[in-house]
Amino acid sequence: MRITLRVWRQPDARSAGKMVSYKLNDVSPDMSFLEMLDVLNEQLIMDGEDPVAFDHDCREGICGMCGVMINGRAHGNGLHDGAVQTTTCQLHMRSFKDGDTIDVEPWRASAFPVIKDLAVDRRSFDRIIQAGGYISVPTGTAPEAHATPVPKKDADFAFDAATCIGCGACVAACPNASSMLFTAAKVTHLGLLPQGQPERNDRVVNMVAQQDAEGFGGCTNIGECSASCPKGISMETISRLNHDLLGALRAGTRPKS
């Protein structure tokens, strides 16, 4: 296939950026989107130009690193065969046609400042987790796995929430740049399990407070977050966060200073 790429180029966080067009010939339909970007970078290096910076790691859809907007959609979701929710590294070029023009941009959110080109700083997510995404760790031998029964419904929902890979697609897709789906997933998967009960109230209050401090927008239940999530995490997770948050505030829990 012959592809025209319009890629956001920005040398650093302080500089202005712009869309730059590149032509690629002989693109295999079996390439992943990142492999196609690798081909572009090889071409740029051979021409003596600066390669496009983009985040990636596992290329197996589980690390959450490879976040870009493709034709205005987070990870290009909805462009894939059968409109399957996917990560950028699992999106294949057979989802496009010969002669297509493809726009590639970084996540757009003030809490995700651009580092260079398509790479953004997502350490705000790390700080949200640090604010409460942990459980008490008692010393001594490991407890028997079946010593504390967990209802299957709770276990299933906890595992579903725990599939969040922290890619930031929910933030990029949300018109408000809200991180509620991410925060809710991290709060919920611990709050549903017995091990997560000691910090349950502190966890939700502190993580939501840190989310607000990072500059993420408020949630207005539009639903783009769940629709763009490569793991298909449900908006019910946000409802569970709000339930926990109201309960914690009624109990007098306040964010740590």
Side-chain angles (χ1 to χ4, degrees):
M1 298 188 297
R2 293 168 299 169
I3 296 293
T4 299
L5 287 175
R6 286 172 21 95
V7 182
W8 182 260
R9 301 305 308 265
Q10 184 173 338
D12 55 57
R14 296 176 298 278
S15 303
K18 63 180 180 179
M19 301 293 281
V20 179
S21 295
Y22 302 101
K23 302 282 188 181
L24 280 180
N25 298 315
D26 300 322
V27 174
S28 168
D30 294 326
M31 285 181 180
S32 73
F33 200 87
L34 295 191
E35 287 173 322
M36 181 273 296
L37 290 180
D38 289 337
V39 171
L40 170 63
N41 279 345
E42 289 174 4
Q43 179 177 302
L44 291 175
I45 291 170
M46 292 296 291
D47 293 340
E49 298 183 44
D50 193 27
V52 176
F54 61 93
D55 289 323
H56 65 94
D57 189 10
C58 74
R59 301 203 177 202
E60 296 177 349
I62 57 175
C63 74
M65 288 293 292
C66 61
V68 293
M69 300 294 286
I70 302 170
N71 286 346
R73 304 183 187 185
H75 292 302
N77 275 322
L79 299 173
H80 199 277
D81 295 336
V84 175
Q85 290 169 297
T86 186
T87 53
T88 304
C89 63
Q90 297 292 295
L91 178 70
H92 290 86
M93 296 310 296
R94 57 178 168 267
S95 300
F96 304 91
K97 302 187 298 294
D98 181 37
D100 274 357
T101 297
I102 305 172
D103 289 345
V104 190
E105 303 170 82
W107 288 160
R108 298 294 192 186
S110 60
F112 290 160
V114 173
I115 298 172
K116 182 179 180 181
D117 297 336
L118 305 176
V120 299
D121 183 350
R122 284 175 280 189
R123 287 179 293 178
S124 52
F125 271 8
D126 297 333
R127 291 188 287 271
I128 291 174
I129 294 175
Q130 289 168 0
Y134 52 83
I135 61 173
S136 297
V137 182
T139 58
T141 58
E144 166 59 39
H146 299 293
T148 307
V150 180
K152 187 170 190 307
K153 183 179 179 181
D154 290 346
D156 288 346
F157 201 92
F159 278 122
D160 287 344
T163 60
C164 171
I165 56 177
C167 65
C170 51
V171 176
C174 177
N176 306 326
S178 173
S179 65
M180 277 293 278
L181 191 68
F182 165 80
T183 305
K186 300 305 178 184
V187 166
T188 297
H189 90 262
L190 293 176
L192 285 170
L193 300 176
Q195 298 92 329
Q197 300 314 303
E199 291 89 9
R200 185 169 183 170
N201 286 352
D202 289 335
R203 176 183 302 113
V204 65
V205 168
N206 289 327
M207 291 181 75
V208 170
Q210 186 63 42
Q211 169 186 265
D212 294 342
E214 296 292 343
F216 290 103
C219 175
T220 50
N221 292 317
I222 292 172
E224 286 295 325
C225 54
S226 183
S228 298
C229 174
K231 300 304 176 182
I233 295 175
S234 167
M235 287 189 66
E236 184 183 344
T237 312
I238 297 177
S239 299
R240 288 179 177 270
L241 178 144
N242 288 331
H243 178 272
D244 276 12
L245 180 61
L246 289 173
L249 292 175
R250 286 199 190 101
T253 306
R254 295 295 179 265
K256 62 183 178 183
S257 57

